Amino acid sequence: MKPDVYIVIPTYWQGTKNRKGVKEDLIFDHPTYLDGPDTLSASLESLAKADQSIPFRVLVLSAPIHPEIEQEVTARVDSIIGQYRDRLDIGHFHGEALRLLQRHLQQKGFNPNHLSLQGYAAIRNCQLAVPSILGASLIAAIDDDEIVPYDYPERIQRYAGKNGIDLIAGRYRYENGKTFVHDRSEGRKDAGLFLKKQRYQNMVYQRIEETPEDLVDTSIVLGGNMVFSRDLFTHVPFDPFIRRGEDIDYMINAAMAGFSWKCDKNLWIDHYPPACEERSKLQEDVIRFLYERAKIKESKRQEGFNSITAADLGPYPGLFLQDNLEEEALLALHGRDTAIQQEPWYLTPEEVLEEGSRLATQATEFFDFARIWPTLLSSLEQDTILAQRLEDLVF
């Protein structure tokens, strides 16, 4: 009998170092170069060395930034995973497996694009759907630049799905044992809202550390250390319309659907993101917050969903969902390095606000998607032919 606890790892890839980016490329924070060193191997090595007395499966989901490199990415990830098949129960969800899943969706009358590998949130929905189809009772999500401690497989099973807690948020420990993020606004008297982002995140982390209990309230969840109960992941999807920040957004989705969450302050993961400039992050953050603000406002009008306000979401992300968002965004965007104007993804400050406003008009569509998610997933779970074909193709 196969294990029903899944640890899922999305891994993001770009082409070789001499490949020129194009406007159609997906934007990820630090995708791995095909001809460079990878971080996935170290993550898998830590899982192979972890406590396996309670069996678990590992599912890697590979996402290329452009379809033209899909086959190369699939082959590279297969070669990495192949080194661990004798030490882990491990599978690889890739483009071919996605197309199988989409065909079955279409046959059942659903939009096949409800599941895809096009963007963070869409990938996260695959990391819920595929284990669900294969019989998962619990899903833990980590990232490919993290190292898990020996007791991680046991720790993820302590609280999620028990005592009314549906989502568990873990914590990151950074290089040199740091548990807070670097505050870029330190010493800056002219710092606006977006430059203070890390300061407000650290305020949440400080409150967590000062609370004596193991399980504490939080307004931040981290996509690379989240645990989902079966009741939660079969009823609440990630929002495919949000471009980044899908982890905190999922927490909001869960709250709107009436589910509860806590931070397990002792569920640690060591996080070692590769050095990169992440120059698109501010632009994507502005678009994301404009959309998020519209969505929580829309929650008041949607039947069957709890209403959420910015005040419910602490200093972070709550302060980024206020009425002064456009003003603060323009201040930050106009302060960007002019060199980024040569990047294929670059938008002027005014175009960024326009894109965020355009996306905000789609906020109602999330609620329609959320309503069909339980039916969609139930239909896929009952498809025994699909389950067997996925098992054979992925594992």
Side-chain angles (χ1 to χ4, degrees):
M1 185 174 176
K2 62 189 179 187
D4 60 359
V5 173
Y6 281 71
I7 298 176
V8 295
I9 313 175
T11 183
Y12 312 100
W13 291 76
Q14 57 186 317
T16 56
K17 293 174 184 176
N18 62 4
R19 176 183 178 270
K20 186 175 177 59
V22 296
K23 198 171 184 65
E24 294 76 22
D25 284 348
L26 297 173
I27 298 176
F28 298 123
D29 285 348
H30 35 74
T32 304
Y33 283 110
L34 276 170
D35 56 350
D38 74 278
T39 57
L40 177 61
S41 296
S43 294
L44 296 180
E45 182 66 26
S46 70
L47 283 166
K49 292 178 177 177
D51 181 10
Q52 297 190 41
S53 61
I54 303 176
F56 61 90
R57 307 187 97 185
V58 178
L59 176 66
V60 176
L61 303 93
S62 62
I65 65 169
H66 195 283
E68 70 181 9
I69 61 170
E70 179 192 305
Q71 290 186 347
E72 295 170 276
V73 169
T74 299
R76 178 73 190 277
V77 174
D78 274 343
S79 70
I80 295 170
I81 288 175
Q83 301 172 52
Y84 293 92
R85 289 200 178 275
D86 61 338
R87 300 166 63 194
L88 290 169
D89 184 352
I90 188 169
H92 179 198
F93 184 79
H94 43 63
E96 183 183 354
L98 171 66
R99 289 185 285 277
L100 167 66
L101 193 53
Q102 289 177 326
R103 287 195 297 271
H104 280 255
L105 275 174
Q106 193 163 28
Q107 291 167 8
K108 298 174 188 305
F110 295 104
N111 182 342
N113 293 321
H114 280 330
L115 291 173
S116 81
L117 294 171
Q118 299 285 306
Y120 283 124
I123 294 163
R124 299 288 189 192
N125 276 334
C126 288
Q127 74 179 32
L128 300 183
V130 176
S132 180
I133 294 165
L134 297 178
S137 66
L138 188 81
I139 299 172
I142 70 172
D143 283 332
D144 70 350
D145 54 5
E146 298 173 346
I147 306 298
V148 305
Y150 177 78
D151 67 345
Y152 190 78
E154 181 274 327
R155 187 89 200 184
I156 61 176
Q157 300 182 57
R158 288 193 184 184
Y159 300 118
K162 301 172 184 176
N163 301 315
I165 302 171
D166 306 292
L167 173 66
I168 288 293
R171 302 189 63 196
Y172 286 167
R173 188 163 39 220
Y174 300 96
E175 200 167 7
N176 300 322
K178 295 178 181 177
T179 59
F180 292 85
V181 291
H182 173 62
D183 181 1
R184 295 186 299 118
S185 70
E186 190 172 357
R188 292 277 300 271
K189 295 181 180 179
D190 62 338
L193 178 69
F194 280 85
L195 195 59
K196 295 177 182 175
K197 175 182 171 182
Q198 290 79 16
R199 181 185 301 182
Y200 296 128
Q201 290 174 326
N202 285 337
M203 288 172 63
V204 178
Y205 298 144
Q206 186 67 45
R207 291 177 186 177
I208 290 172
E209 294 208 351
E210 290 174 350
T211 304
E213 294 81 14
D214 280 356
L215 293 179
V216 300
D217 293 330
T218 181
S219 61
I220 293 179
V221 298
L222 302 168
N225 199 1
M226 297 172 69
V227 189
F228 308 77
S229 72
R230 177 170 177 78
D231 196 28
L232 177 62
F233 67 72
T234 56
H235 286 88
V236 179
F238 284 87
D239 184 344
F241 301 105
I242 199 159
R243 306 225 306 223
R244 64 172 295 110
E246 77 290 345
D247 42 13
I248 291 177
D249 180 73
Y250 189 89
M251 175 194 76
I252 294 171
N253 299 341
M256 291 191 300
F259 289 87
S260 64
W261 73 94
K262 291 284 185 180
C263 172
D264 177 357
K265 59 189 294 184
N266 293 309
L267 180 63
W268 291 101
I269 257 184
D270 291 316
H271 188 209
Y272 301 112
C276 63
E277 296 182 54
E278 299 183 359
R279 296 190 296 176
S280 64
K281 184 175 281 190
L282 172 62
Q283 179 172 299
E284 293 298 303
D285 266 349
V286 172
I287 293 170
R288 150 216 183 174
F289 288 128
L290 286 166
Y291 175 79
E292 192 78 80
R293 186 181 65 179
K295 187 164 83 170
I296 64 173
K297 288 181 179 178
E298 182 62 30
S299 69
K300 302 173 185 177
R301 296 184 284 271
Q302 290 288 329
E303 186 176 349
F305 291 86
N306 294 332
S307 175
I308 303 296
T309 68
D312 298 324
L313 300 171
Y316 188 82
L319 290 175
F320 291 78
L321 304 174
Q322 308 280 0
D323 292 337
N324 66 338
L325 175 56
E326 286 87 349
E327 177 186 348
E328 291 285 352
L330 284 174
L331 177 67
L333 290 166
H334 279 295
R336 293 181 294 177
D337 184 347
T338 56
I340 67 170
Q341 295 177 16
Q342 308 304 316
E343 298 288 349
W345 47 260
Y346 172 78
L347 298 174
T348 68
E350 291 72 24
E351 288 171 337
V352 174
L353 294 191
E354 288 174 9
E355 176 63 12
S357 298
R358 182 197 65 78
L359 197 63
T361 64
Q362 296 181 263
T364 56
E365 295 182 37
F366 164 72
F367 295 94
D368 296 333
F369 178 64
R371 288 186 177 97
I372 70 168
W373 178 258
T375 304
L376 179 153
L377 214 50
S378 176
S379 179
L380 293 175
E381 287 178 341
Q382 294 171 33
D383 189 338
T384 55
I385 294 175
L386 171 63
Q388 187 57 59
R389 293 186 67 187
L390 267 182
E391 176 71 26
D392 295 341
L393 186 58
V394 172
F395 281 89

